Amino acid sequence: MTHTTRPLKERFELLRTFGLDRVDPRLDEMAAALADEAGMPYAMINIFHPATGGQHFVGLAAPRGGRWPTVQRTMAPDWGYCPEVPKKNGRALILPDVYEMARFAGNPVVDALGIRTYAGAPIVLSHSTESGAGVMVGTVCFVGTTPQPDEAGQAMAELVKRHRDEITRDLFQHAGLHPPELLPHRPITTSTAQEEGT
């Protein structure tokens, strides 16, 4: 299921149920834990706006001041690499060096923030673990300004997926719902980017 095909009312209700319709210091702490373990300056819990597709960082870890560019809580739907994740058939998107693929090298975040590496995994939620495929509402990701070697890709994938799973379980528990092991995510489209398992 894509992040745009469910009725808007249902998607807004889903975000409210899981507390993803607003910034939460708890989610900032989770993003900071990911950034620290990844050794990267930025990490986000990124939610796609149901109506506009705009990106909202309800959890954000980012350096303050110094040489690091400032990252705001929102980002246009055509900026960054998280909007590419829905095309990954429910898989993580891992880009050790964004320059290795021309269509990723030209992204606005490369010029604006100096981003050179990215790892993101989809957040899939549902009101019920018995309702079939969940809804992809956003991503958990980290980004950095130093390119990583190709051989780092597997470790990046395992790290971002582990934190995604921990965050997903926390979201279910915080909402008073039983957390599933992993909600199935219906295939979307084929992407030429490097694919990692869910």
Side-chain angles (χ1 to χ4, degrees):
M1 183 75 64
T2 70
H3 67 288
T4 57
T5 56
R6 288 287 182 98
L8 289 180
K9 182 179 179 181
E10 180 182 351
R11 287 185 49 76
F12 278 118
E13 288 177 351
L14 191 65
L15 294 183
R16 284 193 292 270
T17 295
F18 288 95
L20 296 174
D21 57 340
R22 58 192 178 276
V23 170
D24 188 332
R26 184 179 103 265
L27 301 180
D28 284 346
E29 292 177 2
M30 294 179 186
L34 173 57
D36 287 345
E37 188 170 354
M40 297 288 172
Y42 305 101
M44 296 88 168
I45 300 172
N46 183 10
I47 301 304
F48 302 130
H49 190 280
T52 68
Q55 303 173 78
H56 185 201
F57 304 140
V58 296
L60 174 64
R64 296 183 179 180
R67 66 185 181 90
W68 302 102
T70 300
V71 173
Q72 304 297 331
R73 287 281 181 176
T74 59
M75 189 171 283
D78 58 344
W79 277 52
Y81 304 105
C82 288
E84 297 286 336
V85 176
K87 305 174 185 178
K88 297 295 293 178
N89 298 333
R91 297 180 174 88
L93 174 62
I94 309 300
L95 302 171
D97 184 353
V98 302
Y99 277 13
E100 289 189 353
M101 297 188 69
R103 73 186 183 96
F104 293 132
N107 195 283
V109 296
V110 173
D111 294 330
L113 302 175
I115 299 304
R116 289 293 306 275
T117 189
Y118 169 90
I123 302 172
V124 181
L125 301 175
S126 173
H127 286 298
S128 171
T129 58
E130 300 176 356
S131 61
V135 180
M136 180 183 170
V137 298
T139 65
V140 172
C141 72
F142 62 80
V143 294
T145 57
T146 301
Q148 303 299 304
D150 286 343
E151 54 267 26
Q154 184 62 37
M156 292 170 65
E158 292 174 357
L159 177 62
V160 75
K161 289 187 292 183
R162 174 164 55 80
H163 277 262
R164 182 273 316 273
D165 291 347
E166 292 171 356
I167 290 166
T168 299
R169 284 191 290 270
D170 180 88
L171 291 172
F172 272 87
Q173 292 168 351
H174 199 70
L177 299 172
H178 178 71
E181 288 302 316
L182 184 63
L183 284 167
H185 186 57
R186 190 173 303 170
I188 303 167
T189 59
T190 302
S191 172
T192 57
Q194 176 182 347
E195 292 186 353
E196 295 290 340
T198 58

